[in-house]
Amino acid sequence: MSTPPQPDSARPFLAWQRISDWAAEHYRCRTFNKDEKIPARPGLLYLVQKGSVRLLGNAHVSATPKRKSSATRLPAVAAEEAFLGFVGAGQPFEVVAQPPFTLQSFAHVDQTTVIWLYWNDLDTWPHFQKEVLDAFRRQHQRKLLWLSTLGQRRTIDRLLGFLTLLIDEHGEPCEQGYYLPFPLTHAQIGSAIGSTRVTVTRLMGKLRQGGLIQSYGENLICIPHSADWKKQG
């Protein structure tokens, strides 16, 4: 596993300080409590200054009867929300409106601070603009890996791939190995990998018994240095 980046130190401090000052001056930043919805809208750019943002997606579909003679349409039904990943401190994100799909963002931890801008605001900081575009390219590559993980037939393989991607991207070092610095429920994991909370709980127990994952702190997930993912059965 590669060493996960440290978001806060990966961004040029001077550029961030200028943008932070500008956002405060123009009332373009806001701090959210845990699980509070972030009122993001399409067409704007968002920067996570502090904390972590959780992205959720769902699809609204309308059911149409098979009989062509019937003009009756059933009301739109919202599918269950699916966890789509995190955006950590120092990273950008945006929401896309593409019916019937919707994307929502929530503060995953307390004191999550988000800055919002129009895209042309970045013209003021050309070097930072390039960093933002590079960050979106990396996120796109991550999404391709995510799709590859979801294509695994066995649930335990999807779970392993999911945990690997999360900790590789957001993990922080500890004595045992690397841990995910924010909590994640089994229900959220299940929605991400297309499984149920009960199944995730059972498989997480198997991974702990096999020494592939450990608990760290208050219910945080850790991948120990000694874990050999290739040997799992």
Side-chain angles (χ1 to χ4, degrees):
M1 178 179 298
S2 60
T3 301
Q6 301 301 312
D8 291 328
S9 60
R11 306 272 75 84
F13 175 79
L14 186 58
W16 262 109
Q17 189 60 50
R18 289 175 177 173
I19 293 173
S20 177
D21 293 343
W22 175 89
E25 181 181 351
H26 291 80
Y27 304 100
R28 297 283 192 89
C29 66
R30 179 177 167 185
T31 299
F32 299 87
N33 295 320
K34 185 178 185 297
D35 295 327
E36 186 177 355
K37 184 177 180 180
I38 299 171
R41 63 180 190 268
L44 296 178
L45 170 67
Y46 296 87
L47 303 173
V48 182
Q49 184 180 24
K50 178 184 176 183
S52 177
V53 171
R54 182 176 71 249
L55 297 180
L56 299 178
N58 55 32
H60 296 263
V61 295
S62 297
T64 305
K66 292 183 178 179
R67 294 178 56 186
K68 296 182 180 180
S69 59
S70 176
T72 305
R73 291 183 63 87
L74 298 179
V77 178
E80 183 179 355
E81 290 182 333
F83 170 68
L84 299 179
F86 293 114
V87 184
Q91 296 297 317
F93 73 95
E94 60 179 346
V95 296
V96 179
Q98 185 68 39
F101 304 102
T102 58
L103 186 67
Q104 297 180 339
S105 56
F106 295 83
H108 193 65
V109 296
D110 280 329
Q111 299 301 304
T112 293
T113 302
V114 175
I115 294 172
W116 66 272
L117 312 90
Y118 293 98
W119 277 96
N120 57 9
D121 290 332
L122 288 180
D123 294 340
T124 308
W125 307 283
H127 294 291
F128 189 75
Q129 182 181 49
K130 181 179 182 302
E131 285 204 23
V132 168
L133 296 177
D134 288 342
F136 275 120
R137 291 191 192 97
R138 290 192 295 271
Q139 289 178 9
H140 176 68
Q141 292 171 346
R142 285 282 174 176
K143 290 298 182 289
L144 295 178
L145 293 174
W146 188 291
L147 291 174
S148 176
T149 296
L150 294 181
Q152 298 295 315
R153 182 177 62 85
R154 299 196 310 168
T155 304
I156 195 168
D157 292 331
R158 297 198 300 273
L159 177 59
L160 288 173
F162 171 76
L163 295 177
T164 302
L165 286 176
L166 275 185
I167 294 183
D168 188 57
E169 184 174 7
H170 302 286
E172 296 184 0
C174 63
E175 185 176 350
Q176 296 98 311
Y178 290 97
Y179 72 97
L180 194 64
F182 25 77
L184 191 60
T185 67
H186 290 181
Q188 290 168 338
I189 295 174
S191 73
I193 65 174
S195 185
T196 65
R197 178 189 60 80
V198 175
T199 299
V200 169
T201 299
R202 176 175 59 84
L203 294 179
M204 292 286 282
K206 289 184 62 176
L207 296 180
R208 287 192 176 90
Q209 290 176 1
L212 296 174
I213 64 173
Q214 295 179 356
S215 295
Y216 179 82
E218 296 183 2
N219 297 321
L220 299 178
I221 301 172
C222 171
I223 295 181
H225 292 300
S226 59
D228 189 346
W229 296 75
K230 295 181 180 179
K231 289 183 180 180
Q232 75 83 20

